[in-house]
Each structure stands twice: as structure tokens, then as C-alpha cells.
Amino acid sequence: MSSTAWTVEFIHFVNSSQVRLEALVGRIWAPGHMFDSPDFDSSDLRLTTCTSVIMTDPECWTDWFDRDDPAGDSGDWETLKDLRKENPGGVCDIPLQIEVRTTAGLSVASTGNVISVSDTTTGFICKNSDQETGMCYDYRVRFLCPPDFCRPKVCWTEWFDRDDPTASGDWELLSDLRKKFPEDICEKPLGIEVVTVDTNIPVASTGQATYIYSPTVGFVCRNQDQSCHQCFDYKVRFGCPCPCDD
């Protein structure tokens, strides 16, 4: 079997798992596919691209809220209307679930309290008048939101093109770009995007192998890794936390 270089490329984000694969025993990896190859020899495959493995989004829960105290009042009212007033931006527009516990960590079921409301539309209400003891426990609530609610907003920089592939390749390293553009790139980029300078073709669509493709390191295409021995000229930009998320 002849030596084959497979490339798998797309925009990298820090919160996805970043993996450099040099050899894959018994399997072949192609864009969007991995399949067994019983005749495969690991020495025949080298992936020259730093690939990202898409991970399932973790659940997106808000902070715990405890805005009301049942003592000396009508009960414990943790309504979405009041929580949104007191915590602007703290709860998504359409919560998927609500979780309620006492401030001591007990489940609602274990308290024996009669609950008036507990849903994602109104929030949570426990009325003292409904309890045999005449008093609700003190509760806290949180809400499950769509994954996008927990993702940081990304603001993209301008495009940068500091190098041409006339020598060893196209080197758009973050360290070099910061020297040339000291005020233009955030301290900890969340993402990187790379396209050709002349036609804006994403690097993943060019068929070229990349040596480095990382939001925290930058981008490198080496001429020696290409079948035609020449990289295209690329430009890069970085995804940074938007000012409102700082």
C-alpha cells in the first residue's frame, strides 16, 4: 500500500478537543468518516493536520438563585419575572428545565412541602398558607438553557497576512502577528479562521495539508508538505471574546 496523506481541516475552537494524529492503527480517518480497514498498515498513514474532535455540548445551567425568604412573608417566590429583573442576562429567554433545592441542598420531594408552581414559564412558588407547618423551606432555583447561552460570544479580528509562501511556506504565527499588530489580537483567542488571500477559499477546501492550525499558536502551511511543493497564500483571523463578555 502506498503512503497516503489524509487531511481533515476546519475552524478550530478552544473548547473542542484538539488532537494531532501521526498514525492510526487499523483505521482510516477521512473528513466526516472513520472506518475499519483490516489490510491497513499504520506506517502507510500520516495525518499532517491538527484535527478537532466534535464533543457533545455539556449541559448549560444557570447559577443558583435565591431571591426570596419565606420567613415573615407569604412564602418563597422565585419567579422568573423577578429573577430576570434582579439578574439581567442571568437566565435565557426560553429555559428548558428548572431545578429546585432547599438552600441546605435537600430535594423538594424530601421536604414534604406543597408546591404551588414549579415550571420554566413562571419559575417556582411555595406558599406558606399551603403548608401544614405554616412555613415553606427556603429554596433556591436554577434553569437549564440551550447550549448557545453558555458559549462565549465571539468577535472576529481583521484579517492578517504577514507572510508569503515563497520561502519555506506561509507562517502566520500568533507570536509574529502580535509583534506586528500589538493591539489587534486578544490575549486568549477562542477560534481561528484561515482562507486564501485572493479567493477567500477556506483552507479546508483547498486540499492542502496544514502543519499548525490553532487559535493559541496560529497557522502554518509548509511547502514541503504539499504535492505541488507550494502552499497557497493565506490570511488568518482570530475569534476573541466580545467586549460585553470581558
Side-chain angles (χ1 to χ4, degrees):
M1 183 174 179
S2 60
S3 179
T4 303
W6 293 81
T7 60
V8 185
E9 305 169 291
F10 41 88
I11 297 173
H12 288 289
F13 284 92
V14 169
N15 62 357
S16 63
S17 297
Q18 297 180 359
V19 183
R20 176 169 289 281
L21 301 177
E22 293 299 331
L24 214 53
V25 179
R27 292 190 165 193
I28 296 175
W29 176 288
H33 301 281
M34 178 176 280
F35 51 92
D36 290 324
S37 177
D39 300 324
F40 179 68
D41 181 351
S42 64
S43 64
D44 290 324
L45 177 63
R46 178 171 293 272
L47 274 76
T48 58
T49 299
C50 184
T51 65
S52 286
V53 178
I54 303 300
M55 306 299 288
T56 303
D57 284 307
E59 289 189 333
C60 175
W61 287 95
T62 66
D63 292 332
W64 287 99
F65 302 108
D66 175 27
R67 60 161 301 277
D68 198 16
D69 188 339
D73 202 348
S74 59
D76 196 343
W77 295 66
E78 307 291 342
T79 65
L80 271 168
K81 180 180 178 181
D82 291 328
L83 289 170
R84 287 194 171 111
K85 285 181 181 179
E86 297 176 16
N87 303 273
V91 184
C92 52
D93 292 337
I94 305 177
L96 306 175
Q97 294 179 33
I98 183 174
E99 183 177 2
V100 184
R101 289 190 172 273
T102 69
T103 54
L106 299 176
S107 67
V108 175
S110 68
T111 66
N113 278 173
V114 176
I115 306 305
S116 179
V117 177
S118 182
D119 61 35
T120 57
T121 303
T122 302
F124 177 81
I125 299 174
C126 177
K127 297 179 180 178
N128 288 338
S129 59
D130 292 335
Q131 316 311 319
E132 291 184 0
T133 61
M135 179 69 68
C136 292
Y137 281 79
D138 190 12
Y139 292 97
R140 59 180 181 171
V141 301
R142 67 174 184 169
F143 299 89
L144 180 66
C145 290
D148 283 346
F149 184 74
C150 289
R151 294 190 187 121
K153 302 295 186 298
V154 175
C155 290
W156 291 95
T157 66
E158 298 296 324
W159 290 99
F160 304 107
D161 175 29
R162 61 159 294 277
D163 194 23
D164 294 324
T166 53
S168 61
D170 195 345
W171 295 69
E172 306 291 345
L173 291 172
L174 189 56
S175 57
D176 293 329
L177 290 168
R178 282 204 170 104
K179 291 177 183 177
K180 190 172 182 178
F181 307 97
E183 304 296 328
D184 295 341
I185 306 174
C186 56
E187 182 180 354
K188 296 180 180 180
L190 302 172
I192 183 173
E193 188 174 6
V194 184
V195 300
T196 57
V197 169
D198 53 351
T199 55
N200 291 319
I201 297 175
V203 65
S205 301
T206 64
Q208 294 202 320
T210 59
Y211 181 64
I212 296 175
Y213 193 15
S214 163
T216 56
V217 181
F219 171 80
V220 175
C221 175
R222 299 191 305 182
N223 291 335
Q224 70 185 58
D225 297 328
Q226 315 312 319
S227 58
C228 61
H229 308 294
Q230 181 73 50
C231 291
F232 293 112
D233 190 13
Y234 291 100
K235 58 184 178 181
V236 304
R237 65 176 183 173
F238 297 88
C240 291
C242 294
C244 59
D245 292 328
D246 290 344

